[in-house]
Amino acid sequence: MLNDIVYMNFSRSELTQQVAHTARDFAQQYIRPHVMEWDEAQEFPLHIFKEMGKLGLMGVLVPEEYGGSGLSYSEYSHVIQEIAKVCGSIGLSLAAHNSLCTGHILSFGNEEQKRKYLPKLASAEWLGAWGLTEANTGSDAGNIRTTAVQDGNDWIINGTKCWITHGKCGDIAVVICRTGEPRTRDNSTAFIVERGTPGFSAGKKENKLGMRASETAEMIFDNCRIPDANRMGEVGSGFKQSMKVLDGGRISIAALSLGIAKGAFEASVQYSRERHQFSKPIASFQGISFKLADMATKIAAAELLVDQACDLKQRGLPMTKEAAMAKYYASEAAVEISTDAVQIFGGYGYTKDFPVEKYYRDSKLCTIGEGTSEIQKLVISREVLK
């Protein structure tokens, strides 16, 4: 038996629908007109996130006492989906800010840290980054080489983090540093580092296939000195904290994948009705209609997995396996659906004049970021075999 947990009814509440509607309207009005402009120029539209902060979308899960919206994972999932249906890049940055940096401080920061940082993050006065990955430690996160060495009441950080969302523009970063022996479960600690701290700088900005309007860059630490007050949790607890943060982050990427898949599907349905061949709309041909049937089914299955993971997370129940399943299935489905979307559009689908080539490029990151599909299979199989 896969699970003995009783799952909830996933019907959409009025609040969830209202929040989704707000995100949908915002995406249509402020994001859609500029999607390809930002993508082509690899422009990170920081002003858009400031506007989303005014709507409460940058602190969806943050309690109201810390300046956030105090909403549930269901609302959060739908916000990401609605934004990603229009632009995966903006959805990715929204997810990274909410789930990783903000989420880490919300889950593991002390009261002083929460009151100092969460209001600025929730309002988008500050943009958040989260640093775990390094050049030689992607999936092998337990072998990080960025170090933090204690010096009196301070810590001195040295090393480089790569593939960091908002690594250049982020005002604050949660950074996981090695404070013990390599390859041990208690070898790392999480620290909060503010932009402007001497020794903290940005490195190379990546030139990417997709998600081009979401900034991805290195963070470099050269004798970066921070106070012990910026340490989160006990020394040695960083890896365990990160794994729990990634559980929630995987729900974000699953929702992001679902949004991209829905965007590609909706564009395909519309096009297949409008495009005529042999005096008929191409939707009337079985080769196309069966593709649409497969796409719709994959989206429905992914949606149930995402809703299940959100429900467990919101109720504080174990959800490592369910989050990994949602992320694995939804991300792979997004790639398959966007691939079929390009095929349905034919030659037009291969051009930048139509939207599906961008869904196609953006979708691939979802199978890699915050744990590859292979890592998700590893997580799922370990949970099943417990």
Side-chain angles (χ1 to χ4, degrees), residues 19 92 100-101 104 109 141-142 148 189 201-202 204 223 229 255 257 260 276 383:
V19 171
L92 174 62
L100 299 181
C101 179
H104 199 139
T189 305
S201 62
K204 175 188 175 185
N223 290 319
S257 304
I260 291 171
H276 284 66
E383 292 293 315

Side-chain angles (χ1 to χ4, degrees), residues 213-269:
S214 176
E215 179 189 272
T216 306
E218 293 176 326
M219 295 193 303
I220 300 171
F221 301 90
D222 182 9
N223 290 319
C224 178
R225 181 181 291 269
I226 61 170
D228 186 59
N230 286 33
R231 170 176 51 84
M232 276 199 290
E234 297 298 322
V235 174
S237 64
F239 182 80
K240 293 177 183 177
Q241 290 179 18
S242 298
M243 294 303 102
K244 291 180 180 178
V245 169
L246 283 173
D247 278 346
R250 284 165 183 160
I251 297 176
S252 296
I253 301 301
L256 177 70
S257 304
L258 186 53
I260 291 171
K262 287 180 176 180
F265 172 69
E266 290 174 7
S268 298
V269 170

Side-chain angles (χ1 to χ4, degrees), residues 270-290:
Q270 180 180 346
Y271 182 80
S272 68
R273 287 171 171 162
E274 296 172 352
R275 171 72 167 168
H276 284 66
Q277 293 286 273
F278 307 102
S279 302
K280 296 179 181 179
I282 62 173
S284 66
F285 295 105
Q286 192 176 82
I288 301 299
S289 64
F290 276 19

Side-chain angles (χ1 to χ4, degrees), residues 29-77:
Q29 184 174 353
Y30 295 102
I31 299 175
R32 188 174 291 282
H34 307 287
V35 166
M36 292 311 297
E37 169 193 339
W38 295 335
D39 183 79
E40 290 284 293
Q42 293 198 80
E43 177 185 347
F44 179 62
L46 183 59
H47 67 282
I48 286 294
F49 297 91
K50 302 293 186 182
E51 292 300 319
M52 286 196 287
K54 295 176 183 177
L55 291 176
L57 302 183
M58 297 294 279
V60 181
L61 301 169
V62 176
E64 292 181 22
E65 65 180 298
Y66 301 119
S69 298
L71 299 174
S72 75
Y73 254 79
S74 177
E75 283 84 51
Y76 176 49
S77 168

